[in-house]
Amino acid sequence: TVKGFDEDFPGIWARKNHTLTIKGTGSLVASSNGWGAGIGGGGATTFGNIRIEGGNITATGGTNCAGIGAGGYDGGDITITGGYIEATGYEGGAGIGGGYDANCGDIIIGGGTITATGGDNGAGIGAGYLGTCGNITISDGSITANGGFDGAGIGIGDDAKCGNISISGGTIEAKGIRNGAGIGCSGQGTCGNIEITSDITQVTATKGDNSSHSIGFGLIEGDDDYIVCGTVKFGDVIMYNHNDQSWITTPIESGTYGGLSLTITTTTNTNPNDTWTLTPSVAP
């Protein structure tokens, strides 16, 4: 169990221009003492690359910081290939990724059992409030990603940016809050192309109350002053064409697209939440 020595330090610092690797079968609890990530950077420190290969890990960020990733300054890539991981951001921080106005590199997940929860205006996995992250690539794992208030489950926090989002395997459950999509954009900001292949086991994405779509846009669709989303692709089918800003059908309907079966569930409350569930249309 480790905690930041000073309020500006993370629980465990991933030193700049180095790679911190965590592996094994033991347990680790890492937290900030104020303004740092649980694992990654601090309020006054950049961070290098983070690689997690195993272990039972709980990481909690301090004010405006990620659970795993950025504190108040920028940093490198985050790679997870195994382990049992619970990462929680606070206020403007993502669960895994960027902090408030603090950037991280690519986020690469190839295994593990992961629960990532963003703080207010932060994504569960991706960019924090006003921050930027690189590409988000998921090829395996059992992943639950919950955005904070106005954050996407996987993608961006409010007024943030991320690169492309690619999901090619694993079981994923992503939930946006208020203006956040389950996977993609939030209230204001930009994300790149979103691609989900037919190799997944299951992807479930639930939009926030005020979000446009469960996968793709957050609030205020089509207004470039607020959000810009790249192409959305299921298998080999383009669901949303960024060039002409059009969906394959409006509204999106349940059906089979590019080797994926899409089931849309709508709750009947004041602000209905749509849940999109994608599974392979042909069993492996």
Side-chain angles (χ1 to χ4, degrees):
T1 299
V2 291
K3 194 169 187 176
F5 170 78
D6 180 87
E7 65 178 12
D8 281 333
F9 284 82
I12 296 178
W13 179 35
R15 189 178 175 190
K16 183 180 179 181
N17 297 326
H18 292 71
T19 297
L20 167 69
T21 300
I22 300 172
K23 58 185 178 180
T25 58
S27 296
L28 169 65
V29 178
S31 62
S32 165
N33 199 15
W35 297 83
I39 300 171
T45 55
T46 58
F47 70 98
N49 300 318
I50 301 168
R51 182 176 180 87
I52 298 175
E53 300 177 358
N56 191 331
I57 298 166
T58 301
T60 304
T63 302
N64 289 325
C65 298
I68 298 174
Y73 284 76
D74 303 341
D77 299 337
I78 301 167
T79 302
I80 299 173
T81 61
Y84 296 86
I85 300 162
E86 183 175 349
T88 304
Y90 186 60
E91 293 186 351
I96 298 173
Y100 176 88
D101 199 20
N103 309 323
C104 71
D106 294 338
I107 300 172
I108 303 157
I109 299 175
T113 300
I114 301 166
T115 300
T117 304
D120 285 352
N121 302 300
I125 298 174
Y129 180 43
L130 294 173
T132 299
C133 73
N135 297 324
I136 302 171
T137 303
I138 300 173
S139 59
D140 201 0
S142 178
I143 300 164
T144 301
N146 298 310
F149 191 73
D150 279 351
I154 298 174
I156 65 173
D158 193 19
D159 206 7
K161 297 179 181 179
C162 74
N164 298 326
I165 301 172
S166 174
I167 301 175
S168 60
T171 301
I172 292 99
E173 183 174 352
K175 184 176 182 180
I177 303 297
R178 206 175 77 130
N179 297 330
I183 300 172
C185 289
S186 184
Q188 301 183 47
T190 303
C191 74
N193 299 325
I194 301 171
E195 181 175 8
I196 301 174
T197 76
S198 58
D199 296 321
I200 61 168
T201 300
Q202 180 171 302
V203 172
T204 302
T206 301
K207 73 181 186 68
D209 291 341
N210 297 334
S211 181
S212 298
H213 292 86
S214 294
I215 299 176
F217 286 99
L219 180 68
I220 314 177
E221 177 181 349
D223 188 338
D224 289 340
D225 291 336
Y226 288 88
I227 55 170
V228 178
C229 179
T231 298
V232 178
K233 192 174 181 182
F234 292 172
D236 58 359
V237 171
I238 295 175
M239 301 295 292
Y240 173 79
N241 191 324
H242 173 71
N243 294 328
D244 60 14
Q245 298 188 359
S246 66
W247 288 88
I248 190 170
T249 181
T250 302
I252 299 296
E253 300 175 346
S254 298
T256 300
Y257 305 91
L260 290 166
S261 294
L262 171 64
T263 301
I264 298 177
T265 305
T266 303
T267 60
T268 54
N269 54 28
T270 304
N271 295 302
N273 281 36
D274 289 342
T275 296
W276 294 9
T277 302
L278 290 164
T279 54
S281 59
V282 177

